[in-house]
Amino acid sequence: MLRDESREAWADMSIKTFACMFLFITLAAANPCDAPAATIALLKNAGACMGCHNAKDMFIVFGNKEKMSVTVSERAFSNTVHAALNCTDCHRTISLEGHPGKVIGSKNAFLREASAACRSCHSDDKVKAKPHHAYMAERADTPPCTECHGSHGVLSVARWKATLRGHEYCLTCHSRTISKTVGTSERLSLRIDQADQTSSVHNKHDCSDCHTEYTADTHPVKTFADARTRSIVISGVCAKCHEDKHTAVRGSMHYNLSFRVGETLVSRGRPEAPVCTDCHGFHTVGAKETYETLSGIPCRKCHENIFAIYAKSVHGMAKARGEHRAPLCASCHFAHEINFTAMSDKIKAACLGCHEGIEAVHGRWLPNAELHLAAVACAACHAPSTEKGIYLQLIDEKTGRPVPVDQMLQVLGITGEELSGQLDAHGQGLDSYELAYLLRRLNLKGAGAKISFLGKMDVMKYSEAHQLSLKKYAVRKCEDCHSPASNFFKKVTLAVVKTDGGIDRYRTQTDVLKSIFLTESSKQFYALGGTRIAFLDWAGIFIVFCGLMFPVVHVTLRIFTAPVRRAKKADEAEKGKKS
Amino acid sequence: MKKVFLQPMTVRIWHWVNALSFFVLVATGVQIRYRDIPNLATFKTSVDLHNFFGFLLIADFLLWFAFYVFTGKIRVYVPLNPKKFIVGALRQMRYYGYGMMIGEKDPHHATPEEKFNPLQQSAYFMVMLILMPLQVVSGILLWDIRMFAGWIAMLGGLRVVDIVHVVAFFLLTAFLFVHVYLTTLGRTPLAHIKAMFTGYEEVEENE
């Protein structure tokens, strides 16, 4: 009985082995790369492999104990672009004799070995012709082909693409840990977290909506000096949909200070100035309400010193307490149209935007409240421990607008350097003669413009303007301003507005506001007690002295001439007696 | 001696209200302008008092102006006869500068129609019809510079209006010393002052 069973088993094994060997020899004889579609029947010869590998619970254990399923769905495989191939066309080292053969060290080694077979049909030249392959073909750490294309489910490229929605095609590679080198050594991750992309407000967009030069068919190779330059250039694409915001940014100081978005190179200035992606992120662009911008984190990157001051302010402390309405950077400076605030009403408008009706509140105790609010910056009073000063600004009386430095240079016919040299040539601050002379030249040579000085009381360091304090600490005593001894009058600065909105400051001597030479030219700035003209004081002393001296001199003369009158009276009395 | 009725009740009320206002306005004006010299009241108190007495002075000035215009007495301030004015002024100057020293009689005899001697007439003309209106107008403009911004700009700007107000202030303050001194130059040192309370001034029978 045992002998019969053994004989049957041996016969059965011999038949199977023979059949397998025959199939392997047949399959190996065929050239897979040249296999026409008509040879699909040959796949039936893979039945020997599929006889086992169609089972669901087949695994291979690698040398490093990694475990991998080796199940192959015959049905799925028959639908792939490789359906005409035999198993050994790719798994060339596998034979029935030694199957499963040597123990492979790891899954990765196995996949690399299997992927190497792809190159026998897909030559390097053909592979590199595809730009997205070109990046990786020469690299030592190039992922195996199966990493992206799969192993037994490889579809034709056309069919494969048809199954993928826009960004899914890109994410086939970019959801993986891939990176590139920019510049000389900077590594730039190209991995996109699909979860980020899905939760983004841009999740309905295809990658190529922003990365316009990249499609399923085109993948240009781009080089950048560094990752920052790349970010700046890529941010330019936001304008495609967000033109209004982009226009605002184009007018902002950040834009003017740093670069021109959309140019291929950072053309000037400071590339660390923020672009769209610095605040909004790249693929994580959230709903407006959730912007990290409001946390000020992007601003902090460059303006850390402001945050240190802000943290101690009434607003900063309120924010720290969790009061969401407390303002942060964008609340006052706005998000996109960020610009210089010196010599402008932008910040005041922001203050009044939240502190509604504050003009009326000031009006309850402050005479001429509207006028005070126009001439005095909020921070000048509400940041009490700051250094104060007065800014004199050149104003075109006809337009009410500041005269920018470019206009000054044009009218004066000099260069910026010459102007700087002329203003405060002696290094002791501009005196009243120099200011008056400057104004006279501007008005003589100006094309019909009537230029004069407008004064504004403000903090001297704009960073300190963030140090806003509680109301009870604000300047409230009139004497704090309306006195020549006031801190405001200790520093007077000529502020010339630059074309980009910034200001050039020129120190002036503190007594310029008391000069009679500037009476007419600074007629728009007047602060009781603080701008009194020194010459007028001396004239007043003289006039009042004369008034006082009239009775003094007259009385003195009367005293000295009293004997004359007494003598005359006596003489008249004598004459009266005689008569 | 005889009593002449020189100062009607309206004039006397105007005068003392004017004197009080003047005194407070000078004091508070100094306090506002020269914050760093005396420190008798806060800036705000000084401004508030200055505004209050400023308007009191304006009302008083209008009372004075209306009284003198409607009674026709305004002519006592106006030298209608230039020749007579010049001769009288020179004579009065001689008196104050020389005649008074040697015991001469005052050449001017006060009557209700010619209350002031030519020098007084020209001084009060300057004070009441030029300096006071200037001071009143500039003061009103400075009181609310926003409301009167157009007027201020037309007059050359805030600092120009301020200069007018301050120069008038200096001149009026100087005049105050002269005015008070001249009140002592009556028949007796207190004769003029007493007259401004009673309305009557004692003059000699032969005057």
Side-chain angles (χ1 to χ4, degrees), chain A residues 365 367-368 370-371 374 478-479 482-484 513-514 518-519 522-523 525-526 528-529 531-533 536-537 539-540 543-544 547-548 550-551 554-555 557-558 561 564-565 568, chain B residues 32-37 41-44 47 96-97 100-104 142-146 156-160 162-163 166-167 170-171 173-174 177-178 181-182 184-185:
Chain A
W365 65 274
N368 286 314
E370 197 184 343
L371 209 68
C478 308
E479 287 83 350
H482 291 289
S483 160
L513 292 170
K514 298 174 186 171
L518 293 178
T519 304
S522 61
K523 61 190 174 189
F525 182 65
Y526 164 81
L528 268 176
T531 56
R532 68 176 203 237
I533 298 165
L536 207 58
D537 287 345
I543 292 168
V544 175
L548 187 62
F550 175 81
H554 206 257
V555 165
L557 286 174
R558 284 170 65 196
T561 55
V564 177
R565 291 192 297 280
K568 187 178 180 184
Chain B
I32 291 166
R33 185 169 170 82
Y34 302 102
R35 186 68 243 161
D36 44 341
I37 299 173
T42 65
F43 185 90
K44 188 165 189 325
V47 170
Y96 282 136
M100 181 182 272
M101 304 302 162
I102 61 168
E104 288 181 359
L142 291 172
W143 167 65
D144 193 334
I145 47 187
R146 185 61 108 187
L158 205 45
R159 300 193 84 178
V160 173
D162 176 60
I163 288 172
V166 169
V167 169
F170 289 142
L171 291 171
T173 306
F177 291 113
V178 179
Y181 174 66
L182 289 177
T184 65
L185 298 184

Side-chain angles (χ1 to χ4, degrees), chain A residues 206-215 230 234 237 282-283:
Chain A
D206 291 342
C207 302
S208 58
D209 288 345
C210 296
H211 302 280
T212 50
E213 293 157 293
Y214 296 84
T215 67
R230 180 177 172 278
I234 287 178
V237 83
F282 286 91
H283 301 97

Side-chain angles (χ1 to χ4, degrees), chain A residues 455-475:
Chain A
K456 188 165 185 178
M457 302 167 97
D458 209 336
V459 294
M460 290 310 287
K461 292 179 186 165
Y462 282 116
S463 57
E464 291 185 344
H466 298 86
Q467 197 181 313
L468 297 167
S469 190
L470 289 168
K471 190 166 68 175
K472 63 181 177 183
Y473 299 123
V475 172

Side-chain angles (χ1 to χ4, degrees), chain A residues 367-368, chain B residues 51 55 137-148:
Chain A
N368 286 314
Chain B
N51 288 342
F55 281 109
V137 170
S138 59
I140 288 174
L141 295 179
L142 291 172
W143 167 65
D144 193 334
I145 47 187
R146 185 61 108 187
M147 187 193 297
F148 300 111

Side-chain angles (χ1 to χ4, degrees), chain A residues 34-44 84:
Chain A
D34 298 332
T39 59
I40 196 165
L42 286 175
L43 183 61
K44 291 173 182 171

Side-chain angles (χ1 to χ4, degrees), chain A residues 505-552:
Chain A
R505 303 174 191 216
Y506 298 95
R507 194 165 55 91
T508 73
Q509 294 177 8
T510 50
D511 60 353
V512 292
L513 292 170
K514 298 174 186 171
S515 169
I516 197 161
F517 296 106
L518 293 178
T519 304
E520 209 278 332
S521 54
S522 61
K523 61 190 174 189
Q524 298 187 73
F525 182 65
Y526 164 81
L528 268 176
T531 56
R532 68 176 203 237
I533 298 165
F535 172 79
L536 207 58
D537 287 345
W538 287 110
I541 289 171
F542 176 75
I543 292 168
V544 175
F545 178 77
C546 288
L548 187 62
M549 286 313 289
F550 175 81
V552 171

